Amino acid sequence: MTFVMGPALLFCPADRPERYEKAATRADAVILDLEDAVAPADKQRARGAILAQLGAAGDAPELDPSRTIVRVNPAGTDEFEKDLHCLAHTPYKTVMLAKAESAAQLEALSGYQVIALCETAMGVLNAPSIAAAPNVVALMWGAEDLLASLGGTSSRKDDGAYRAVALHARSSVLLAARAFSKEAVDAVYTNIPDLTGLAAEAADAVASGFGSKACIHPSQAAVVRGAYAPSEAEVSAAAELLQAAAAAGQGVFQHKGQMIDGPILKHAEAVIRRAGDHV
């Protein structure tokens, strides 16, 4: 199983169905959130909203199932069981498991493609075994819930940079995901008006190897998509380098004064691949 929905994943509170279509229009995929975005008293109404937009008598759903993710409540909770009952009556087969902490929790989601959200200390420590679960297609990390689970107060310093423990978690989840050939999703950027900061963080996510970044506001989706779309100059340079490699016909060669080997060619291939995703 491969996760291929695109780089900009936009959270949408499941109890706000009037926002579903807008979210789908602005982002590559919509995450209908049954967890943190919905107050406990409104969770049943949120599940009802998901079911209501499917229409009667088998009508096509408002949202494209191939571009829709449902974030469910943590495994082992009563709300999780209610979420599963709701999902069984929908065409949505990609699920984000909030506060994933062990591979055993994934067994309850057999039959679904799962994005495991590692946002607690236990989840980060168990990221490799979670990534190895056969129905997991991606790992995501969450900064604020992680710091809360540690007894901390903020994932970022006053200048906006992540604290060391948050950076460690980010790297750990990325490494675990890619070690098992699963996708990695970068955490949300909570300072909504700061699109410049978001652009910098999204660019770092691209360079580091994250395949997607989650968003919490429609204005963020275009910024994330822009970060993942290589420029014409980058595409041209990557194509030229790959052509030179084909002409050289050997493992290591020089191109414009630089030694070129396998890893550099993989970087160029990644640029071409991302360009294709944005055509």
Side-chain angles (χ1 to χ4, degrees):
M1 293 185 290
T2 303
F3 181 73
V4 292
M5 289 191 182
L9 314 180
L10 179 58
F11 278 102
C12 179
D15 63 342
R16 300 298 300 272
E18 72 279 7
R19 297 182 181 179
Y20 289 2
E21 185 176 356
K22 180 179 180 181
T25 301
R26 300 290 286 273
D28 294 298
V30 179
I31 306 170
L32 298 181
D33 192 359
L34 288 168
E35 198 224 2
D36 280 348
V38 180
D42 295 329
K43 289 187 184 290
Q44 190 59 36
R45 183 166 62 85
R47 287 185 282 265
I50 290 177
L51 294 172
Q53 60 90 37
L54 298 176
D59 293 344
E62 177 182 339
L63 297 175
D64 180 355
S66 70
R67 297 177 55 236
T68 303
I69 303 161
V70 180
R71 175 159 78 165
V72 298
N73 287 276
T77 65
D78 289 342
E79 297 295 348
F80 174 75
E81 296 301 327
K82 294 175 182 177
D83 293 344
L84 290 190
H85 181 73
C86 170
L87 281 171
H89 298 280
T90 77
Y92 303 132
K93 297 301 180 183
T94 303
V95 173
M96 178 179 287
L97 177 61
K99 298 176 179 63
E101 294 193 326
S102 72
Q105 293 175 338
L106 280 303
E107 296 175 6
L109 291 167
S110 175
Y112 293 95
Q113 295 188 103
V114 181
I115 302 170
L117 180 45
C118 301
E119 52 184 342
T120 65
M122 187 63 73
V124 173
L125 290 178
N126 286 336
S129 61
I130 293 171
N135 58 334
V136 167
V137 294
L139 296 187
M140 178 177 163
W141 77 289
E144 299 312 321
D145 278 295
L146 171 64
L147 266 291
S149 80
L150 298 175
T153 58
S154 175
S155 66
R156 296 182 188 266
K157 303 175 185 177
D158 290 342
D159 63 359
Y162 276 125
R163 298 185 188 281
V165 67
L167 287 174
H168 174 76
R170 184 179 191 242
S171 298
S172 296
V173 171
L174 171 61
L175 288 168
R178 302 308 297 149
F180 289 92
S181 299
K182 306 297 175 68
E183 195 56 88
V185 181
D186 199 21
V188 300
Y189 192 80
T190 58
N191 189 347
I192 295 173
D194 182 18
L195 297 181
T196 300
L198 170 63
E201 188 165 287
D204 181 76
V206 174
S208 297
F210 285 96
S212 306
K213 187 168 180 63
C215 306
I216 55 174
H217 191 273
S219 65
Q220 295 182 326
V223 177
V224 171
R225 286 180 56 81
Y228 275 85
S231 67
E232 291 185 7
E234 290 174 322
V235 173
S236 177
E240 181 181 342
L241 178 58
L242 293 175
Q243 291 173 356
Q250 57 187 16
V252 178
F253 65 100
Q254 285 192 24
H255 178 68
K256 295 185 175 179
Q258 182 182 9
M259 187 195 78
I260 305 298
D261 57 7
I264 294 177
L265 293 178
K266 287 185 179 297
H267 295 166
E269 290 169 354
V271 170
I272 299 298
R273 184 167 57 252
R274 284 193 288 114
D277 291 340
H278 286 78
V279 172

